[in-house]
Amino acid sequence: MRRALKDYLNQEFRDLIQVNEQRDAGITGNFEVTIVNTGKVIHSKRRGMGHANTAQSRQAIVEQIREALGAL
């Protein structure tokens, strides 16, 4: 699921965002989406923003990215 979201975001927003995925031993891993030009973190599991594992949470990430890019 996370991989599909990462692929979608990379395809949709290309080099405007950075998607990091990090595996941690004994944990479910970390997923973070950042706006490249500003460094603004849109979503970070590590920072307590939870899993991006529902259609609603994925759509919220996409909307936040579009909003942040529109403000540039």
Side-chain angles (χ1 to χ4, degrees):
M1 183 75 71
R2 209 173 44 229
R3 184 66 162 149
L5 176 59
K6 180 179 179 179
D7 291 345
Y8 172 78
L9 293 174
N10 282 328
Q11 181 179 0
E12 183 74 15
F13 300 105
R14 307 230 179 254
D15 59 346
L16 299 174
I17 66 166
Q18 180 177 2
V19 179
N20 295 319
E21 200 173 6
Q22 179 180 353
R23 291 191 180 267
D24 293 325
I27 312 176
T28 60
N30 292 291
F31 184 79
E32 187 170 87
V33 180
T34 306
I35 302 296
V36 171
N37 289 348
T38 64
K40 179 180 180 174
V41 175
I42 298 296
H43 180 85
S44 175
K45 182 180 167 223
R46 179 170 275 180
R47 294 182 186 184
M49 296 176 182
H51 296 276
N53 57 359
T54 67
Q56 184 177 357
S57 64
R58 291 189 299 271
Q59 184 60 35
I61 291 169
V62 170
E63 289 173 10
Q64 289 175 46
I65 292 169
R66 288 189 176 132
E67 182 179 313
L69 292 175
L72 291 179

